[in-house]
Amino acid sequence: MEGKRGKPRRSLFRKYFFVLFVAVSVPLLTTGVSDAWFGYRDQRALLNSLLRTEANSAAARIDAFLETIENQLSWTVRLNWSAETLDQHRFDALGVLRQVPAVVSITLIDGNGIEQLFVSRIELNRIASGIDRSSDPAVSGARSAQLWYGPVIYHQESEPHMTIGLAGNRKSAGVVIAEINLKLIWDVISAIQVGNSGQAFILDETYKLVAHPDISRVLRGTDDVTLLAMRDLQRKIDEAEGNAVVAKDTFDGTVLITMSAVSGAGWVVFVEQPLSEAFAPIYSALLRTAGLLLAAAAFSALIAYWLARRMAGPIGKLEKGADHIGAGDFGYRIEIATGDELELLANRFNLMASELAVSQERSERIARLKRFLAPQVAELVEKSGDESVLAGQRAEVVVVFCDLRGFTAFSARSEPDEIMRVLSDYHETLGSIITRYEATLTNFSGDGLMILLNAPVRCAQPAIRAVDMAIDMQTEVQRLVSQWRSCGYELGFGVGLATGQATVGRIGYEGRVEYTAIGNVVNLASRLCSSAENDQILLDPVLAEAAREKFSLVSLGSRRFKGYEKQLVVFSVSHS
């Protein structure tokens, strides 16, 4: 990978230095050696570049403003809706109100289009109102495009507001609808200044005024005459291919103006400068250029050098940080203190590294738990953060043993690929059933499996659940047995179940742990499994008594098992 990347042909510092030096020096040099016409043309080009840069910068800042809101809102639709996640949804929604002052209210809607939560700065909050919002344009728009922007409206015919709809990555996560007060964009717009009196303002798709340094103009709304003038102005700039044009400003007179689109919301940022101020330097440049030419060139070189160093240094740190994080060093932190977007970007990198570290730790934790727990149980333990359920303890459990009849003889005379294919189909079939019944697979060796129910997490009617699972296992494996026998494999499948007290818990050593059960009930289930014939499910007397009301049981009489002094009555489950 490093070989493909190689080294850059020119350093970033040299590029920035050259561009910044030329951007400042060339207009001065050209003005000094040209006549009024060339001075006018060059000044016009410089102003066009400046205005377009300011317009693009303003659009980028508005995009960042909206992106910040979108990023915060995305936290509210990351979880599926359930009774357990309601408090977390409410916590996330209140967190957005704290983090983003522009958000007036948040409405959370579940995957069925029902309003589940409403929090607001100015209205009463609602929880589980049951309102059907599926036909709401914000919900429909978010579901079709994931992110939806509503039109700008004037709240109480004064303050501009906008609605944002954002859908989660899954339908079950629902949709969040946020009402945004656009007055706060005024801070962004008022900070943009071109020359002494140049300014910026924003229009929406319908040419309504969204933000202006003079906020009273926004609060008064936009009349039809102004809307028509703005539409004609935008068309004129489009015809000029985005270059600045001279136009009659609807507010202050003749200006030089250009625009840039805010891609996300469909808005347009206009940046303008009064024409008298924009062209004033042309008339005075010829008088002062001769004396200032050398000093200006030297000064521009210093400024270019300083700016290039200021920009290239942090970008180099960001590149180094990206390499560390990309290599998995999530503890690496990028230290940039420029006070601008580069510092913000470095903070985002650091936040991303922290979240990746947490995500990696969580993934490793779940993977470790899933080695010996059902996926549902592993997720439960991970979310709760409490592994005490895995500690050694006495519990009433149902132990299920199962294995294939005739497997030893089959494996002795079969090719390895045949054996592995049979085991793969066998394990895949049983694994899906074990997962469906939320049982815990504690051990499997070749064709033999040991399964626990009611530990580590308790379940309702474990005896009934265990027999139901054993029946499903027999039914599905017998289908495989029919296929195997058609291939000439003489295999069968037997199951043994027993219930009783056992010591359950996590055993092992550093780097390798398993969850298992120890006790007489385990040995009994194993003996029953060994005694079972093909298509048989054998139960001990205690489990048979608990399952008798639901299942048809057949007594097979008393049998003597290895390690037991007394004979035990064995029962078979009729399941065909």
Side-chain angles (χ1 to χ4, degrees):
M1 187 66 182
E2 289 294 332
K4 292 183 179 180
R5 290 173 57 185
K7 294 183 178 180
R9 290 178 296 171
R10 289 185 295 172
S11 70
L12 189 64
F13 172 79
R14 290 178 58 189
K15 288 183 179 180
Y16 277 128
F17 178 83
F18 177 76
V19 171
L20 293 172
F21 179 79
V22 170
V24 177
S25 298
V26 169
L28 292 174
L29 293 172
T30 303
T31 301
V33 297
S34 63
D35 56 20
W37 167 248
F38 287 103
Y40 168 81
R41 188 178 66 179
D42 293 339
Q43 183 68 10
R44 177 69 179 271
L46 179 63
L47 287 170
N48 179 71
S49 176
L50 177 62
L51 290 175
R52 290 192 66 179
T53 299
E54 290 292 342
N56 291 336
S57 175
R61 278 180 274 179
I62 299 302
D63 273 329
F65 172 83
L66 295 175
E67 183 180 2
T68 299
I69 296 176
E70 295 163 13
N71 290 339
Q72 291 292 332
L73 290 177
S74 67
W75 284 95
T76 64
V77 287
R78 59 192 174 90
L79 297 177
N80 295 338
W81 275 100
S82 67
E84 291 77 11
T85 61
L86 179 59
D87 289 341
Q88 184 61 46
H89 278 95
R90 182 173 178 272
F91 177 80
D92 292 339
L94 294 176
V96 173
L97 292 182
R98 288 193 300 269
Q99 295 291 331
V100 187
V103 177
V104 178
S105 67
I106 294 176
T107 305
L108 295 179
I109 298 166
D110 64 18
N112 298 319
I114 304 302
E115 179 184 304
Q116 295 292 343
L117 181 64
F118 173 81
V119 293
S120 172
R121 300 182 189 276
I122 58 178
E123 298 183 36
L124 294 177
N125 297 341
R126 299 189 297 267
I127 298 178
S129 65
I131 300 174
D132 187 357
R133 302 290 294 271
S134 57
S135 60
D136 193 303
V139 176
S140 303
R143 284 178 173 173
S144 61
Q146 191 172 23
L147 179 63
W148 177 86
Y149 289 94
V152 176
I153 60 175
Y154 294 93
H155 183 63
Q156 296 180 351
E157 299 183 354
S158 59
E159 297 182 358
H161 282 216
M162 181 183 69
T163 300
I164 293 179
L166 178 66
N169 292 331
R170 305 173 304 279
K171 181 180 179 181
S172 58
V175 175
V176 57
I177 301 176
E179 183 181 358
I180 312 300
N181 188 338
L182 299 180
K183 280 182 62 179
L184 298 181
I185 298 181
W186 180 82
D187 294 334
V188 178
I189 290 300
S190 62
I192 300 173
Q193 185 173 1
V194 182
N196 295 324
S197 54
Q199 60 189 7
F201 57 91
I202 303 175
L203 299 180
D204 68 3
E205 294 176 324
T206 61
Y207 308 102
K208 289 183 179 180
L209 195 60
V210 175
H212 191 280
D214 185 357
I215 196 171
S216 63
R217 291 175 174 170
V218 178
L219 298 181
R220 289 198 302 267
T222 307
D223 56 32
D224 293 338
V225 175
T226 303
L227 292 177
L228 183 61
M230 289 294 100
R231 185 183 63 185
D232 293 340
L233 178 59
Q234 184 171 344
R235 178 176 50 80
K236 187 175 181 181
I237 296 175
D238 286 335
E239 291 174 354
E241 299 181 350
N243 293 320
V245 299
V246 176
K248 182 69 175 178
D249 183 22
T250 57
F251 302 124
D252 300 312
T254 305
V255 295
L256 192 65
I257 187 168
T258 188
M259 68 181 186
S260 180
V262 179
S263 57
W267 300 343
V268 178
V269 178
F270 288 86
V271 177
E272 65 181 15
Q273 186 178 18
L275 194 63
S276 59
E277 179 184 325
F279 290 158
I282 296 177
Y283 309 120
S284 59
L286 293 176
L287 298 177
R288 62 174 182 266
T289 297
L292 298 177
L293 188 59
L294 294 178
F299 179 74
S300 64
L302 291 175
I303 291 296
Y305 177 83
W306 178 76
L307 288 175
R309 291 277 296 184
R310 183 176 176 84
M311 297 175 70
I315 292 176
K317 291 183 179 180
L318 288 170
E319 182 182 9
K320 182 179 179 181
D323 288 339
H324 277 270
I325 296 172
D329 183 7
F330 300 137
Y332 186 84
R333 292 295 179 266
I334 304 172
E335 301 295 337
I336 295 179
T338 57
D340 54 18
E341 287 82 357
L342 290 174
E343 181 178 348
L344 178 61
L345 183 59
N347 293 336
R348 292 286 180 85
F349 265 89
N350 294 335
L351 179 60
M352 177 186 68
S354 299
E355 292 175 347
L356 286 173
V358 173
S359 178
Q360 183 185 50
E361 180 182 356
R362 181 177 183 271
S363 298
E364 292 174 353
R365 178 184 174 91
I366 293 178
R368 186 170 61 252
L369 291 173
K370 283 182 179 179
R371 289 206 303 267
F372 54 86
L373 295 180
Q376 301 92 329
V377 178
E379 292 284 353
L380 177 63
V381 173
E382 195 284 330
K383 288 180 180 179
S384 66
D386 182 10
E387 295 190 19
S388 62
V389 294
L390 306 180
Q393 56 185 312
R394 296 287 290 177
E396 183 77 20
V397 297
V398 179
V399 182
V400 181
F401 272 86
C402 60
D403 61 13
L404 294 174
R405 309 286 89 114
F407 182 78
T408 301
F410 162 74
S411 60
R413 63 174 179 268
S414 301
E415 295 296 327
D417 58 339
E418 293 178 306
I419 298 172
M420 296 307 293
R421 184 167 57 252
V422 167
L423 286 178
S424 177
D425 294 340
Y426 173 66
H427 288 152
E428 183 175 355
T429 298
L430 292 184
S432 62
I433 297 173
I434 293 169
T435 300
R436 186 167 70 246
Y437 281 89
E438 299 183 1
T440 301
L441 175 61
T442 64
N443 182 42
F444 68 90
S445 175
D447 63 317
L449 281 73
M450 174 181 169
I451 307 161
L452 289 182
L453 286 95
N454 209 40
V457 178
R458 296 187 179 277
C459 62
Q461 297 184 310
I464 303 300
R465 182 187 289 251
V467 177
D468 276 331
M469 182 181 70
I471 292 173
D472 283 353
M473 292 167 66
Q474 271 291 6
T475 301
E476 296 300 321
V477 174
Q478 288 303 322
R479 292 194 182 98
L480 293 178
V481 168
S482 299
Q483 298 175 14
W484 294 335
R485 290 185 176 178
S486 66
C487 297
Y489 305 151
E490 293 298 327
L491 296 172
F493 181 64
V495 184
L497 297 84
T499 184
Q501 287 285 324
T503 300
V504 295
R506 184 171 46 187
I507 62 172
Y509 58 89
E510 182 67 26
R512 177 63 181 178
V513 293
E514 291 184 349
Y515 186 85
T516 190
I518 301 172
N520 181 64
V521 66
V522 178
N523 297 329
L524 180 55
S526 177
R527 299 290 188 271
L528 289 169
C529 176
S530 300
S531 181
E533 299 177 358
N534 177 43
D535 202 24
Q536 266 194 337
I537 302 172
L538 299 187
L539 312 180
D540 75 322
V542 179
L543 184 57
E545 184 64 27
R548 186 180 302 279
E549 293 184 1
K550 181 177 179 182
F551 303 99
S552 176
L553 305 180
V554 177
S555 175
L556 302 182
S558 299
R559 295 185 182 182
R560 182 176 298 280
F561 295 105
K562 182 180 178 180
Y564 291 84
E565 295 181 356
K566 297 181 179 180
Q567 291 186 344
L568 297 176
V569 179
V570 178
F571 293 85
S572 174
V573 180
S574 298
H575 60 277
S576 57

